[in-house]
Amino acid sequence: SAVISQKPSRDICQRGTSLTIQCQVDSQVTMMFWYRQQPGQSLTLIATANQGSEATYESGFVIDKFPISRPNLTFSTLTVSNMSPEDSSIYLCSVVGGRGTEAFFGQGTRLTVV
Amino acid sequence: AQSVTQPDIHITVSEGASLELRCNYSYGATPYLFWYVQSPGQGLQLLLKYFSGDTLVQGIKGFEAEFKRSQSSFNLRKPSVHWSDAAEYFCAVGSPLNRDDKIIFGKGTRLHILP
């Protein structure tokens, strides 16, 4: 298993500003994943962050809006840029324990944009 | 690319009744399959998973799921539900043939329990 810490746990932000979310894992992992869960919705994968290379974004998500850093094998950040109320969601960091194992999740960052 | 469909947005059952939540996947081979549960205001908890082998998988909290290749399904079952089972249930699929390990989630089924 993996223990994932996310910061901040919640924030209220003004529209037009940016927020950077941090994700720390207690073990080295190759891939880290960022998901968004809009109110009452399922988890949508934003991007896959591989250490040493640019993140791979899913359809509908772009680097300018959601820049990701992956400086080492235990840490990643997701920035939500130029925020609007539609960005109000829970953002979740995730890792997979090993090839073919389940995903482990941080507790999420609850973002409200006003 | 893999995808997963949960046809039922809401399911309501009486306490003590049996439960089946449907999940269908799309993938070119046998995928990794998961069921997660999310209680209101809580994080995700893994109920069970299928990678290979026995197609009937036992999970926590009395849940089980059966992988049926011919139907591309991985339905979740419980013989007798408890009021505490009221939650959102997500089926998810992973891709053994891909280099990445990403897991894609279905839209979820919200389970309501009648007393």
Side-chain angles (χ1 to χ4, degrees):
Chain A
S1 65
V3 177
I4 303 171
S5 302
Q6 263 186 254
K7 286 194 281 190
S9 59
R10 59 176 65 229
D11 207 341
I12 301 173
C13 299
Q14 296 292 322
R15 67 177 67 199
T17 62
S18 298
L19 176 71
T20 295
I21 303 167
Q22 298 180 5
C23 178
Q24 180 75 50
V25 188
D26 68 342
S27 57
Q28 293 185 339
V29 292
T30 304
M31 305 280 188
M32 294 178 75
F33 304 91
W34 287 98
Y35 290 84
R36 179 177 73 182
Q37 187 174 26
Q38 294 175 300
Q41 304 295 315
S42 181
L43 281 75
T44 301
L45 183 63
I46 297 171
T48 302
N50 191 0
Q51 195 270 333
S53 62
E54 277 197 5
T56 302
Y57 288 83
E58 298 296 308
S59 176
F61 297 95
V62 295
I63 187 172
D64 289 346
K65 176 67 176 177
F66 297 102
I68 288 171
S69 78
R70 183 77 201 277
N72 58 53
L73 291 173
T74 63
F75 187 80
S76 177
T77 68
L78 170 75
T79 299
V80 186
S81 303
N82 189 25
M83 289 183 285
S84 67
E86 292 70 34
D87 294 319
S88 297
S89 294
I90 298 174
Y91 292 86
L92 294 137
C93 174
S94 173
V95 302
V96 174
R99 190 80 180 128
T101 62
E102 70 267 26
F104 299 95
F105 292 89
Q107 284 303 301
T109 296
R110 184 180 295 274
L111 170 63
T112 303
V113 183
V114 297
Chain B
Q2 72 269 42
S3 66
V4 59
T5 301
Q6 293 180 248
D8 304 306
I9 298 174
H10 294 274
I11 290 279
T12 301
V13 298
S14 298
E15 190 170 16
S18 63
L19 170 70
E20 182 169 31
L21 301 183
R22 295 185 292 165
C23 172
N24 293 98
Y25 68 88
S26 175
Y27 188 62
T30 300
Y32 302 135
L33 293 161
F34 312 89
W35 276 99
Y36 285 83
V37 61
Q38 187 176 41
S39 298
Q42 301 298 310
L44 287 157
Q45 182 179 25
L46 179 72
L47 286 175
L48 46 79
K49 59 190 177 188
Y50 173 80
F51 294 152
S52 65
D54 193 345
T55 57
L56 185 62
V57 180
Q58 301 297 320
I60 63 171
K61 303 185 178 186
F63 286 94
E64 67 177 27
E66 186 171 12
F67 169 62
K68 293 186 176 180
R69 186 191 310 276
S70 61
Q71 298 177 20
S72 298
S73 68
F74 189 58
N75 294 349
L76 182 71
R77 300 194 295 249
K78 187 170 184 177
S80 176
V81 298
H82 186 262
W83 65 266
S84 60
D85 293 324
E88 187 88 22
Y89 291 80
F90 297 102
C91 184
V93 59
S95 51
L97 300 182
N98 292 359
R99 192 167 56 88
D100 61 48
D101 289 323
K102 68 183 181 183
I103 294 174
I104 301 300
F105 284 77
K107 293 191 180 300
T109 298
R110 183 168 295 277
L111 176 62
H112 305 272
I113 307 294
L114 295 175

